[in-house]
Amino acid sequence: MTRTLYAYAFLDEFVLLYPVYALLFADTGLSLWQISSLFVLWSLTGVALEVPSGAWADAFSRRALLRLGPLLGAVGFALWVAVPSYAAFAAGFVLWGARGALGSGALEALVYEELDRLGAADRYARAMGRAHAAGQVAVVTAMALAGPVLAWGGYPAVGAASVAACLLTALVAGRLPEHRTGDTAPEHWAASLRSGLAEARRDRSVRGALLLVPAVAAVWGALDEYTPLLVHDTGVPERAVPYALVLVWTGVTAGSLLAGPGGRLGRRGLAALLALSALALAAGALSGVPAGIALVAVAFGGFQLATVVADARLQERIEGTGRATLTSLAGLGTEALTLTVYGGYAVLGTTAAHGTVFAVFAVPYLVTALCLALARGQRKIVRRPRNESPRGGR
């Protein structure tokens, strides 16, 4: 299963249109306002579908949604290059937003429950960390190949490669195992939604894990969009900015690969990780020199590790049938907080340097670390494999 998971994660991010779609929009004649409105439409689609898609995954089939999502992305990317226009771009972003929502929650729930069924739930953080690393390698590879492919065949060639990657992703998703029996059996969509929300209301440890995911994932995920501006402000020439970004992505990939041992971090260990990463972010951003980007890379690696660990803590605490619903609820919180960071960055960035803004957004991580350090210990999670009876029989 894990080999299939890594192939799925790689192909899902191996989209050559990602590094150049903004150029496609500009070359089609879209204004900055129109391009910005497309990004807003994309985000709103994800927010609107995040929780309903999670409930659908719990009520229907997680694997089916993981196959459907890339197919929607393929249709959207085909529209972009076949009939480039504002309407086609808007439709593509709606389909892309739906693609992301269908996979969010469904993938984590499927992987955790399949590992749990085999008595290997403790390997979840390592497996998902490696999957994230595979996706990050795919992003860097796509960035390296997009330029040559664009020079060779233009946007139609880049679009065709992206559609092919989506189709391969759907094909690989069909090979993921899914066993839904006993207490993981599907139920009605509305019942799945009620079940997930009821568990969050009933169990304080689940609520805490739900809040921790966006607190860890949202801020640095939003800041990532502004790293080229931060790098340029340190004096790095424009032609060398991509190389500095590769350094940052290397740090993120390293954080993903450390998720196995990182999954054993306790509450105070996770708090220390967040605090040290926040200090590294602030120091690197405020340094004002290219060497400071190395500290930013270290910080992003720490935040990526903490993100995987936070997701693993949430999966460990969910006991009902609404796993994908609750994971999607955490994703909704991440999306909402990410939009808030975008707005805050726009306001602060009008009067302050990018390094200063990055340092300001390190503060929420220090607050989260303090809350974790001061929080009371939570109940220990003890689980049996899904197919094991209470007396140990098979």
Side-chain angles (χ1 to χ4, degrees):
M1 184 193 73
T2 52
R3 287 193 295 270
T4 305
L5 171 65
Y6 303 152
Y8 172 86
F10 181 90
L11 291 168
D12 193 44
E13 295 290 348
F14 187 63
V15 178
L16 270 61
L17 269 171
Y18 286 174
V20 299
Y21 65 75
L23 299 177
L24 171 61
F25 300 162
D27 290 346
T28 305
L30 268 63
S31 67
L32 181 59
W33 180 90
Q34 288 176 310
I35 294 174
S36 298
S37 69
L38 291 174
F39 293 152
V40 171
L41 179 62
W42 180 26
S43 296
L44 291 178
T45 302
V47 168
L49 297 179
E50 183 74 41
V51 175
S53 67
W56 190 20
D58 284 329
F60 180 45
S61 165
R62 284 115 183 217
R63 182 172 58 192
L65 266 62
L66 293 173
R67 296 182 68 182
L68 176 60
L71 296 178
L72 296 180
V75 174
F77 296 148
L79 283 174
W80 284 5
V81 295
V83 284
S85 62
Y86 181 83
F89 297 148
F93 267 119
V94 170
L95 291 170
W96 191 358
R99 167 191 176 170
L102 290 176
S104 175
L107 179 64
E108 294 86 350
L110 184 148
V111 172
Y112 187 87
E113 289 189 355
E114 288 303 313
L115 289 173
D116 193 22
R117 185 180 66 87
L118 298 172
D122 59 330
R123 300 182 186 178
Y124 174 81
R126 182 177 66 179
M128 291 304 292
R130 291 179 177 179
H132 283 297
Q136 287 142 14
V137 170
V139 170
V140 174
T141 305
M143 290 172 64
L145 292 177
V149 173
L150 182 64
W152 171 71
Y155 291 116
V158 175
S162 302
V163 170
C166 290
L167 296 177
L168 287 173
T169 304
L171 183 65
V172 171
R175 297 182 61 84
L176 288 167
E178 183 176 30
H179 299 83
R180 307 287 298 279
T181 58
D183 60 349
T184 65
E187 53 188 351
H188 188 271
W189 181 90
S192 294
L193 182 59
R194 288 195 299 269
S195 175
L197 296 178
E199 183 171 0
R201 288 193 300 267
R202 181 176 63 250
D203 193 327
R204 196 181 73 175
S205 70
V206 172
R207 289 199 304 274
L210 275 174
L211 294 173
L212 181 62
V213 171
V216 170
V219 176
W220 82 269
L223 291 179
D224 178 57
E225 302 295 334
Y226 300 96
T227 48
L229 303 176
L230 175 67
V231 170
H232 191 263
D233 263 13
T234 64
V236 175
E238 287 187 6
R239 65 180 181 276
V241 168
Y243 300 111
L245 295 181
V246 169
L247 174 62
V248 174
W249 276 97
T250 301
V252 174
T253 303
S256 296
L257 293 175
L258 289 171
R264 295 190 289 271
L265 285 173
R267 179 167 41 85
R268 289 189 172 86
L270 183 58
L273 173 64
L274 288 174
L276 291 173
S277 299
L279 294 175
L281 177 64
L286 291 173
S287 68
V289 297
I293 301 304
L295 281 175
V296 175
V298 170
F300 275 27
F303 292 142
Q304 170 65 11
L305 172 57
T307 298
V308 178
V309 171
D311 171 49
R313 289 166 68 94
L314 173 61
Q315 300 304 325
E316 289 172 356
R317 282 159 175 75
I318 297 173
E319 296 182 344
T321 59
R323 182 174 302 278
T325 302
L326 287 170
T327 307
S328 291
L329 190 61
L332 175 62
T334 301
E335 290 283 351
L337 188 54
T338 297
L339 289 173
T340 302
V341 175
Y342 286 152
Y345 200 106
V347 172
L348 294 173
T350 58
T351 57
H354 292 289
T356 302
V357 181
F358 268 66
V360 168
F361 279 111
V363 175
Y365 285 111
L366 293 174
V367 174
T368 301
L370 181 62
C371 291
L372 277 173
L374 297 178
R376 289 184 295 173
Q378 294 179 336
R379 60 184 173 86
K380 184 177 179 180
I381 306 300
V382 179
R383 285 189 173 275
R384 300 187 304 271
R386 294 274 181 192
N387 59 344
E388 181 178 323
S389 71
R391 305 177 108 181
R394 294 286 179 179

